[in-house]
Structures are given as C-alpha cells and as structure tokens.
Amino acid sequence: MNERGFNMVGSVMQKAFVRVLVLIILNLEFWLFSLAGLLIFGFGPALRTIYETFLNHKFRYQEYSFKESWRIYKKYFWLANLHFYVFFLPMLFVFYDLYLTSQMKTPWILPVIITMIVLEILIPVVGMYTLSLESNFDVDFKNAIKLAFAEFFVDFSGLIKFVAGTAGIIAVTFFFSGLILFISISAIVIWCQLATKNWIYKVESQIE
C-alpha cells in the first residue's frame, strides 16, 4: 500500500474513532442524567439533553462540555419529563394490552394484534420525531406532534430508514448487552437525526 492509501485508511479510522467517541460521550451523559433524575424523572430530560448537545456540536468532540449539557438538562427538566410520559405511558399501555391479547387463541383477534403492533411502532417513532422537531426548531409541543404525525405518514423513506436502523441497533444490543451502557441510546438519537434530515430540511425551508 502506498502513502496515499495509508493516509486514506488513517483518515477513515480517525473519523470512525471520533464518531464512536461522540457516541460514548453522549451515551454516558444520558445515563448520568437519567440517574440524576432517579431514572423515573431522568429519561426524558436526558434524551432531550443529548439530542440538543449533538445538534450543537455534531462530531466536534472537543466542544463537548458537561457544564453545557447540565444547563440544557436543568432547562428542560420538567418540560421534557411531561413530553416523555405523553408517549411512554400510552406505549406501555398498548404493550400490556398486546401481551394480554396475544394470549387469546381466537382467529378474530389477529386484526386487533396487528393494529396494536402498528401502534407500538407509531407511538415511539412519533415520540422521537417530536423530540427531533423540538430540538431542531423553536416550536411548541402541540405543533411538534402534528408535524411528527405528518412526517410519519408522508416521509415514508425516512420512516423505513429510521425504523430499520433502530431495529438493527436494538438487535445488536440484544446480543451485546454492554452496548446499552456505552453506545445504543446515543446511536438511536443520532440515527433519528440522520434518518429524518430530509424532512428537517423541508420544514426548515417552509419556515424560511
């Protein structure tokens, strides 16, 4: 391999290292802030914090600061908790209903199960889309939900990309459970931003 080839390989390895480093920083921040909220009151604001932190600095890891992240966490603590549970509680309710319904052995129950599975996908996806829109734009919660539902039904390619990528991250985490501590949550957050960037650009152009 010539010098140019070595430089290319070195550049690729450096970019990969930086991206993994940012994933680890954000993921550890997520768990730290979740614990700060005793988990129950920590997940929502922790998600909002790492999403906004990534938007502020992308993969420029040198700019990441715990002080800045803590400020974002405190700023959105109660609001992010409210928004998180608006989606989490219905998702939990549907999941429990799906579990109960799946125990029934009658043929007519199949359409009900399919509907619940669709809802179990729709609710967290719309929740992540709402988080993305709130983090990217100065938009109130009600309008963010409306835009998130529109994105779900209009941006089909972005939806497939996000769902498939998230399913892949969850599958890998299932086999390598340690990833949930270091990479998995931040990977889903960053993947949400990357998979929906076309819709974000569209909304941005309409606002302008």
Side-chain angles (χ1 to χ4, degrees), residues 5 18 22 43-44 48-49 54 60 63 68 106 109 112 121 154 173 203 207:
V18 167
V22 168
F43 288 134
R48 181 71 181 264
T49 299
F54 175 72
R60 300 185 296 274
E63 299 176 8
E68 179 193 15
T106 53
I109 208 70
V112 178
I121 295 172
V154 173
T173 304
V203 173
I207 290 174

Side-chain angles (χ1 to χ4, degrees), residues 55-197:
L55 287 177
N56 290 341
H57 305 298
K58 298 296 195 306
F59 292 105
R60 300 185 296 274
Y61 69 93
Q62 304 94 330
E63 299 176 8
Y64 280 73
S65 154
F66 176 79
K67 185 177 179 180
E68 179 193 15
S69 299
W70 180 245
R71 178 181 56 79
I72 296 171
Y73 178 80
K74 290 190 296 181
K75 178 181 178 181
Y76 293 109
F77 183 81
W78 294 112
L79 190 65
N81 265 303
L82 174 63
H83 295 180
F84 175 77
Y85 282 106
V86 164
F87 293 101
F88 181 74
L89 292 179
M91 186 179 71
L92 202 62
F93 176 77
V94 172
F95 180 80
Y96 182 66
D97 274 1
L98 180 61
Y99 170 75
L100 294 179
T101 306
S102 64
Q103 308 304 309
M104 302 180 184
K105 304 301 180 183
T106 53
W108 61 267
I109 208 70
L110 182 60
V112 178
I113 292 176
I114 293 173
T115 302
M116 287 185 176
I117 291 172
V118 171
L119 285 174
E120 197 62 19
I121 295 172
L122 183 146
I123 294 171
V125 170
V126 170
M128 286 300 298
Y129 282 1
T130 302
L131 173 64
S132 170
L133 289 160
E134 285 188 299
S135 299
N136 278 278
F137 305 107
D138 184 15
V139 59
D140 62 78
F141 187 53
K142 185 186 293 185
N143 287 324
I145 291 177
K146 290 178 182 177
L147 286 168
F149 270 103
E151 183 177 1
F152 185 92
F153 292 106
V154 173
D155 186 17
F156 186 71
S157 62
L159 173 64
I160 294 299
K161 191 184 298 183
F162 175 61
V163 171
T166 302
I169 293 168
I170 293 171
V172 172
T173 304
F174 179 79
F175 290 105
F176 303 96
S177 55
L179 291 176
I180 197 169
L181 178 62
F182 295 104
I183 287 179
S184 301
I185 308 298
S186 57
I188 291 173
V189 166
I190 293 175
W191 180 244
C192 179
Q193 178 64 20
L194 296 177
T196 60
K197 62 181 181 181

